[in-house]
Structure formats: structure tokens, C-alpha cells
Amino acid sequence: MHRVESIVDKLYDDMLDKGQKITYRQRRYEGTTAKSVIDATARRFYFAPAELSGPSSTDLKHIPEETHKMLWHKNWKHGIVPYFIDPNTYDSLLSDSIIKAFDYFEKATCIRLQRLREKPTDKMSLQNVEWLYISNPYGIKQCVHSNERKANSGVQMVVFGYDCMSLGEIVHEVMHILGYSHEHTRPDRDQYITVMWDNIKPGYKKYFTIRQNDPLLSLSYDYASVLHYPARAFSKNGQATIVINTNMKVGQREGLSETDIEKIGMVYGHECVERNRQYLLKTCPSVVKVESESKPASKEEINEYFKDRLWPYGIINYKMRDRLEFSAEERENIKAVIRHIETETCLKFRELTSDHHEPIQANANENNDIGDSDNLKDDNNTAVKNLTPTPAISENEIKDNDIPNDNDSKTKFETNQKNSMEKQIPVDSGVLNKTSPSSLRRHAANILILSRSAKPGCQCPPSGRPNGNKVLEINTDCFNSVNELLHLFVHVLGLDHQHNMHDRDSFLHIIWSNLTKEIEEEMRQKLPTAAAAGFPYDYLSVMHYPWLQIKNGVTSIMYPIWNDGWAMGHWQGLSSTDVQKLNLIYSAECAQRKELENNNENE
């Protein structure tokens, strides 16, 4: 009957397209719909997730029968929805709109939408792990609804149309992703609304067809639902397609209604409870077995650890190998990261450009004098002199700190460098009395050369300033968000990963058996106490990995022990501890720079 009615719908649409006037009549199906009466309310659960494989049958035996989860066609285990936003189709502003809507959804419900740092590309992850790939390769503008009735099977592509990016419209789509259908298609909807079939555009009547076997009919009809169509949805003549039997407004797109939230609690409440139960079982023993605190590092040990990582004077000299390698948006993202660091810390960035604006080649000759202060200019087109002392040598002559090995050449090299620098920096500034010529030479030689790479992923560079001029390849996935780039740049400033700190086992419970070899190898590393610079463990650090990663069909998870975990990996710029740590380790360098600036102003 349903198949025949669909054919009739098509015939009606064809007749209307040909200009034939006809009154649409929909056939009504006879039958009863079972109602599920479940006493459940929506809650927000504050603990981190457990494994995505779900509870075992043995575990379920210990759960009262009445709390067993509702049978549901969408299977987002433990209420966790991993997602990746395609940076090629959604720029940073559009991505921010999506993330803000997802954050709102997390605050209102127990569902967890977890952003992935890297896009899983291997076959196992694409076929066997449920996650969202948010992309718009065809530039669609209108709203595109997911198939909410189709069961999950591997990666699911989701399109947010460019004209459909408000908070309410994104939340509407998330409800579909979780498996919820439109409110106006409930089996009992004719008791509350009247569908004006003659006013609906040809081809769109299917969006008004009543669905069958709704397990949520115990809830009252919700005019305020974010899943309800507005009164003139898909109207062909401007007239109402939905007439309601009250004075209430329908079709709001401001956010979830109370009934929407209750729906989520009814379907996913059991998953969230089980998620938190597993989390507590795994982390409580870890809390009891907290390792004894190690002896804090001394000031001398901290200085020794960071001394070869710091940029002299707190100035980071950088240059794009070729500006055309980066798109305008990517260049702006780099600038945004730099502005954020300069605003929050005492550090300064200097973009060095040449008069001819030629790209730096791997085998530059002596005529390409990067070190020539007359040819170097900052981003204000001002010659860089006093604060950027540079020896008159080419880029490759100082690459990797390549100083001549024989004693005579080395002595001549150092003498030339010292004379060159003393011409640019006043001796009475006090800087030469505090900083050796060799350190000034390192300052001049350390230029970060930014290069765009088409490789997937976002490879972290070694922490600290480069030893000589260094080409920093920025991979494709590093531009997924400004915070990915920020993570990369903070490595360059000298900080390590937070999850590798000496005391991390007191704050993270790692499921080693569920890690890929690559991630396990990295997580096995532990840093000395001095790497923390005396600061406590920081879940909010931009240098902390998120709690969930997907690779080779494996979902790797780190359970936070002492917090709810939802900020871990949800980077929102430098944390308070990140700022304090950078300002502490660079305090002497920044003080020297300010002293030099004051002396130059007095002259």
C-alpha cells in the first residue's frame, strides 16, 4: 500500500508540472501504532566516555530490566558522535558556527560530539567505526537532511548547506543524525495540525508523509520542537502548508525544546548512564593508586631544560617560503595565531620579507642574502636592524648551524659575526654584556620558514626554536582550525605535549590495549619534571590531545581522572597555564628585549 501510494504521489506531481489543476488526496492507512510508555527524563552526565564497543552481555545482566535501552535504529554507542569538518568546504568561520552549535547541544543533553584532530582515511576506520564526515563538495546552499531512518554503518557524510548554518538549523540536523524524525510526521499529527496538500511544491509532499511505528508517542505533540516545519514550508504559492489548531507558532530554529531534550534522554539516557558507569569503573582504581608526587624541578633544572629551546629576546623571526603556497584564508589563520600569542604573552613575531619577494629555494646562492639587514624587512616594510641582528651570510651557509669546522675558518667566521652585530646593536645597551655573541648569532640564524604541504594529518615539529634556519611544513589538516595551527606554533615556542608530562598517570587512565602502534609509541614517552616548568597538570592546555582519536579502525581513548573531560581536546586558544608557562620561561628574554627597546628610544 505504501509503495502504491508513492507512485500515486509521483503521478500527482507530474500532472501539476504539466499545469493540470488537481486536488491532492492522501490515502490513510488503517492500523494501530504501539506506544512506548517510558518513565525517563533528560539529564546531563558530566563524566568522560567509556569504550565505544558498548557494554557486554555480562554487564547487562546486572542492569535492571526496566533500565535497558530503547530499541533504536541509530546506534551511536554511549551517546558519542565523533566528527571531522572538511576544511576545503568549510572555512574557519563556518567551522566555528558548527562547533558552537555542537557545544550548545552538549550542554543541553548528554550527547557528546567529539571533534577529530585528523580525518581517518584508512579502510577500517571508514567502514567499521561510526563517525561523521562534514563536507559540502558541491557547494549546496539549501538545507540537506540526513536519512534519520537509516542505521549507522561506518562513516556518515553530512552536508550543512551554506544558507542553512544558524544554530537552530544545525541543531535540527543533529537531531536527524541521532535518528529523530520531523515532529509534523507523527502518526497522530492530524489531531494537532492540518496539512494543506494543494499548497505544497511538487516533489516535496514526501516530507509531510506520516511515519509509522513511532516509539516516542508517549510524549505530547510538540509545536515548539526544533524538528517541526514552519507554517509555509515548501509552499508553491505563498500559502500555508501547515495549519495548526492553536495560536502557537511552529517551526522555530532557536534551539532545542524541552520535549526535544526529553526525547534524547529517553533514547540515549541508558547509553549515557552506561558510559559513565564504565568510566567510573576504569578511573576509580586509578585514583586510589595515584603515584606519589615526584620532587618538583628546581629553577636551575627548568632553565637548563628550556635554554636551547627559547628564541633570543622572545622574538620569532619567520618567513613564508612562497606566499602563493598558502591561500588567503590560510595566511589569515597564521596571522590570527600570531596575534593571539602576542596578545596573551610577551613574545613577538617578525615576518621577514625580501625586496624582490622571491621564494626561498632549497639551494639558495650567495646573492640570496637572507642575513642582509638591508634586504630584510618586517611586515610593516621597515628594515629589520636593531632587534633582529643578522650576519651577512646566505640562508644555506647557516642552515642547521653549519659553522666551519677548522679552527682558522671558525675564528674568522665568529669575528665577522661579532663585528657585524656590534655595528647594529649599541654596546652601551647592556645586551652585549648579558648575551654572548654566539647567542646573538643564533638569534640571527634562527629563521622559521613556513611551507605548505599537501600531506594529510598535522605532524608536530620538534619543540623549540630550530637549530639554524628551519623549513616548517604545515600539513593540510593543520588548517582544520586556528587551534590546530596554535598547537603547532606553541611547539615551536618550546612547549611539549601535556599528556606526556611526568605526572600524567595521576591524571589520565589510558587503555593501552586499544591504542594504535603510532599513538602507543608516543604515549609511552614521559618527560622530565622540568618540562612542566613547575606548573600543575592542565587538561585545558592547547598542548593536550583530545580524549578520542580514530585510526586503523581503532578508537583510542584517554580517560581523565580528576575532571569531566569535555574540555580535553576542545581547544579554545591558550589556557591560563599555557600563558603563564610561556611568560615564565621567556621572562629573561623578554626583559632583555624591553631593555634594548628602551635604550634605543632614549637614543
Side-chain angles (χ1 to χ4, degrees):
M1 291 174 61
H2 182 73
R3 182 177 64 84
V4 171
E5 187 64 21
S6 298
I7 295 173
V8 173
D9 284 345
K10 181 66 168 59
L11 292 174
Y12 273 115
D13 290 340
D14 290 343
M15 295 172 71
L16 287 170
D17 288 340
K18 295 176 182 178
Q20 300 180 34
K21 191 173 181 180
I22 188 169
T23 301
Y24 182 82
R25 293 182 176 87
Q26 185 189 42
R27 183 172 183 177
R28 300 309 307 270
Y29 300 103
E30 298 297 332
T32 59
T33 303
K35 297 186 179 181
S36 296
V37 180
I38 298 178
D39 184 14
T41 56
R43 295 177 54 193
R44 184 183 179 193
F45 302 96
Y46 292 94
F47 300 110
E51 298 176 38
L52 294 185
S53 57
S56 65
S57 57
T58 304
D59 292 333
L60 288 175
K61 292 179 181 178
H62 302 289
I63 301 175
E65 184 67 26
E66 62 271 15
T67 63
H68 278 190
K69 60 184 179 181
M70 176 188 295
L71 293 177
W72 194 249
H73 44 280
K74 289 286 187 179
N75 188 26
W76 292 108
K77 294 176 183 176
H78 292 177
I80 300 170
V81 184
Y83 69 92
F84 180 85
I85 300 176
D86 179 8
N88 296 318
T89 57
Y90 295 98
D91 60 23
S92 58
L93 291 177
L94 294 176
S95 295
D96 190 52
S97 298
I98 296 171
I99 293 170
K100 284 181 178 178
F102 285 3
D103 287 344
Y104 159 79
F105 206 96
E106 284 194 335
K107 292 175 182 177
T109 73
C110 72
I111 299 298
R112 293 293 167 254
L113 295 129
Q114 174 61 31
R115 187 174 187 180
L116 300 172
R117 288 188 68 246
E118 298 181 4
K119 178 177 66 175
T121 56
D122 57 278
K123 184 177 180 180
M124 294 292 290
S125 298
L126 294 174
Q127 293 182 350
N128 300 336
V129 182
E130 285 76 35
W131 57 281
L132 302 181
Y133 180 46
I134 301 173
S135 181
N136 191 356
Y138 301 109
I140 296 173
K141 294 184 177 181
Q142 67 271 23
C143 297
V144 180
H145 296 322
S146 299
N147 187 340
E148 74 276 3
R149 309 302 298 178
K150 184 179 179 181
N152 290 351
S153 178
V155 61
Q156 176 182 340
M157 183 172 176
V158 174
V159 177
F160 291 117
Y162 293 139
D163 291 340
C164 197
M165 295 287 290
S166 70
L167 183 143
E169 288 163 335
I170 294 173
V171 167
H172 177 105
E173 185 60 25
V174 173
M175 291 292 284
H176 283 316
I177 291 167
L178 295 175
Y180 298 95
S181 300
H182 291 125
E183 185 73 5
H184 59 274
T185 63
R186 283 173 48 134
D188 61 347
R189 64 98 183 274
D190 288 339
Q191 301 176 28
Y192 305 95
I193 65 171
T194 301
V195 176
M196 310 302 291
W197 297 100
D198 292 340
N199 295 334
I200 300 173
K201 290 180 180 179
Y204 289 89
K205 293 184 176 71
K206 58 185 177 181
Y207 297 121
F208 296 81
T209 301
I210 290 177
R211 65 180 183 269
Q212 304 300 311
N213 301 323
D214 187 351
L216 299 173
L217 280 178
S218 60
L219 297 174
S220 60
Y221 192 89
D222 185 18
Y223 293 105
S225 174
V226 75
L227 285 171
H228 206 301
Y229 271 2
R232 289 178 173 79
F234 298 116
S235 175
K236 68 179 182 182
N237 52 19
Q239 301 298 314
T241 54
I242 295 176
V243 176
I244 60 176
N245 302 334
T246 71
N247 293 326
M248 297 184 65
K249 182 182 178 180
V250 293
Q252 66 85 17
R253 293 295 182 268
E254 297 176 3
L256 296 169
S257 69
E258 292 183 4
T259 305
D260 288 333
I261 296 172
E262 191 170 356
K263 288 178 183 178
I264 295 170
M266 291 176 67
V267 175
Y268 289 96
H270 176 275
E271 294 284 355
C272 296
V273 169
E274 181 60 22
R275 176 184 75 204
N276 297 333
R277 188 179 75 88
Q278 292 288 340
Y279 164 73
L280 290 173
L281 289 175
K282 285 181 168 63
T283 58
C284 283
S286 302
V287 175
V288 174
K289 299 177 182 178
V290 169
E291 297 180 353
S292 58
E293 293 185 5
S294 57
K295 183 180 178 181
S298 65
K299 184 177 180 181
E300 291 73 20
E301 290 173 328
I302 295 173
N303 290 338
E304 179 66 21
Y305 183 81
F306 285 102
K307 72 174 185 179
D308 292 328
R309 296 172 173 235
L310 303 183
W311 293 77
Y313 300 115
I315 298 176
I316 297 88
N317 298 312
Y318 75 98
K319 181 180 179 73
M320 293 185 182
R321 186 173 66 179
D322 185 351
R323 290 178 62 86
L324 297 180
E325 288 183 325
F326 301 89
S327 68
E329 183 192 359
E330 289 171 346
R331 292 196 297 270
E332 179 54 35
N333 285 348
I334 292 173
K335 290 289 187 182
V337 165
I338 290 173
R339 287 194 298 268
H340 177 64
I341 295 174
E342 290 184 331
T343 300
E344 297 293 335
T345 70
C346 67
L347 298 168
K348 298 294 179 185
F349 285 77
R350 298 259 175 168
E351 182 176 8
L352 308 180
T353 59
S354 65
D355 288 337
H356 302 290
H357 301 286
E358 295 176 351
I360 300 176
Q361 303 297 331
N363 298 315
N365 56 35
E366 293 185 37
N367 293 328
N368 187 12
D369 291 333
I370 282 185
D372 189 350
S373 62
D374 291 333
N375 287 334
L376 287 179
K377 298 184 179 182
D378 61 17
D379 49 9
N380 293 321
N381 205 35
T382 305
V384 179
K385 291 187 178 181
N386 288 338
L387 292 184
T388 314
T390 52
I393 56 177
S394 68
E395 170 195 350
N396 286 341
E397 289 177 324
I398 59 177
K399 186 175 182 180
D400 297 327
N401 210 21
D402 189 14
I403 299 176
N405 293 324
D406 60 284
N407 292 333
D408 292 340
S409 300
K410 184 175 181 180
T411 302
K412 183 177 179 181
F413 178 90
E414 292 182 345
T415 301
N416 291 338
Q417 301 310 309
K418 181 176 180 181
N419 293 338
S420 175
M421 283 176 261
E422 287 179 345
K423 291 178 182 179
Q424 298 183 51
I425 303 180
V427 177
D428 60 354
S429 68
V431 174
L432 290 179
N433 296 329
K434 297 181 179 180
T435 309
S436 66
S438 61
S439 69
L440 288 174
R441 180 166 62 252
R442 288 197 302 272
H443 170 55
N446 296 323
I447 299 177
L448 192 67
I449 303 170
L450 306 181
S451 173
R452 180 69 162 83
S453 170
K455 298 176 183 177
C458 186
Q459 187 67 33
C460 295
S463 296
R465 62 173 170 78
N467 187 18
N469 287 353
K470 174 69 174 180
V471 175
L472 175 64
E473 285 193 348
I474 306 179
N475 293 358
T476 297
D477 289 346
C478 295
F479 290 101
N480 290 342
S481 73
V482 175
N483 286 306
E484 295 282 358
L485 272 179
L486 179 60
H487 179 94
L488 202 71
F489 271 75
V490 176
H491 269 304
V492 173
L493 299 179
L495 298 189
D496 299 288
H497 285 139
Q498 180 67 214
H499 50 270
N500 290 124
M501 291 298 165
H502 67 285
D503 57 348
R504 66 101 187 276
D505 289 337
S506 298
F507 296 89
L508 293 178
H509 179 70
I510 302 168
I511 309 299
W512 294 101
S513 61
N514 209 34
L515 297 182
T516 62
K517 290 184 179 180
E518 180 183 345
I519 297 177
E520 180 181 1
E521 182 179 349
E522 179 181 347
M523 293 303 299
R524 291 288 182 189
Q525 302 174 12
K526 276 193 179 182
L527 299 167
T529 310
F535 288 90
Y537 198 86
D538 182 22
Y539 288 113
L540 300 178
S541 173
V542 75
M543 303 308 292
H544 206 307
Y545 272 5
W547 53 262
L548 184 149
Q549 299 181 72
I550 298 174
K551 196 166 188 178
N552 299 330
V554 177
T555 302
S556 305
I557 296 178
M558 299 183 291
Y559 295 91
I561 295 173
W562 294 106
N563 82 331
D564 63 19
W566 305 121
M568 207 168 84
H570 282 209
W571 304 331
Q572 299 296 328
L574 295 171
S575 71
S576 174
T577 301
D578 289 334
V579 172
Q580 295 177 62
K581 191 179 294 185
L582 287 171
N583 283 332
L584 175 68
I585 65 177
Y586 276 97
S587 58
E589 301 292 345
C590 291
Q592 289 182 6
R593 185 185 76 241
K594 290 180 180 179
E595 181 180 351
L596 179 59
E597 290 172 341
N598 291 335
N599 289 335
N600 289 339
E601 289 177 0
N602 293 334
E603 292 180 357

